[in-house]
Amino acid sequence: MPGSESEPWEYTLYIPHDFRAVTICRRALRLILALHCLPQLIDMAELLATELVSNAVRHTKGPAALRLRYADGVLRIGAWDADPTPPAPPPCIADAGAEQGRGLDLVRACADGWGWHPEATDSGKYVWCELSAA
């Protein structure tokens, strides 16, 4: 059946260095997951994508991208940015009162897996996390 959640798919949304792009990414993600019959992932995926994309915009000076890929019951959410500097490792114990610096800690706590790697073709880096649709 076309549009079935079992068919693999991938989307990439390239964004400018502009904080308004974070909202655009969130709304695009919600629409994509709804149209691919994955409503159970929307809220958590939106939270994780917001953290990844806002880090890409906040901590770099160039363009960025939101990448979504679904295959074999797993959604991979990723943010590419043009800065090759590795992301700062999340703290082992986050300061509960901190208003910044907790994004990757939140990703680590809420996702089924996460990581990053340098991007050879585009330069920069790709920070990702995964959610199981089960």
Side-chain angles (χ1 to χ4, degrees):
M1 171 178 167
S4 165
E5 73 176 75
S6 63
E7 294 179 26
W9 49 260
E10 186 169 341
Y11 293 87
T12 301
L13 176 61
Y14 290 93
I15 60 173
H17 187 259
D18 183 329
F19 276 105
R20 291 173 289 197
V22 176
T23 300
I24 291 167
C25 288
R26 276 197 319 261
R27 291 187 180 167
L29 176 140
R30 290 184 76 80
L31 180 61
I32 290 166
L33 293 179
L35 291 175
H36 281 284
C37 302
L38 294 166
Q40 73 275 20
L41 295 179
I42 291 174
D43 291 337
M44 186 58 68
E46 182 179 26
L47 173 68
L48 297 173
T50 298
E51 292 301 331
L52 295 178
V53 173
S54 62
N55 279 349
V57 173
R58 179 179 292 117
H59 299 296
T60 67
K61 295 181 179 174
L66 170 67
R67 294 180 184 164
L68 302 172
R69 184 183 75 197
Y70 182 82
D72 300 322
V74 176
L75 175 67
R76 177 172 278 200
I77 304 162
W80 167 84
D81 64 61
D83 184 349
T85 306
C92 292
I93 300 173
D95 176 2
E99 291 187 21
Q100 292 185 10
R102 296 174 33 188
L104 283 180
D105 194 45
L106 181 66
V107 170
R108 180 178 62 185
C110 295
D112 295 323
W114 81 280
W116 79 278
H117 58 80
E119 285 282 276
T121 56
D122 296 324
S123 72
K125 69 180 165 297
Y126 179 64
V127 182
W128 57 269
C129 66
E130 292 181 336
L131 290 174
S132 173

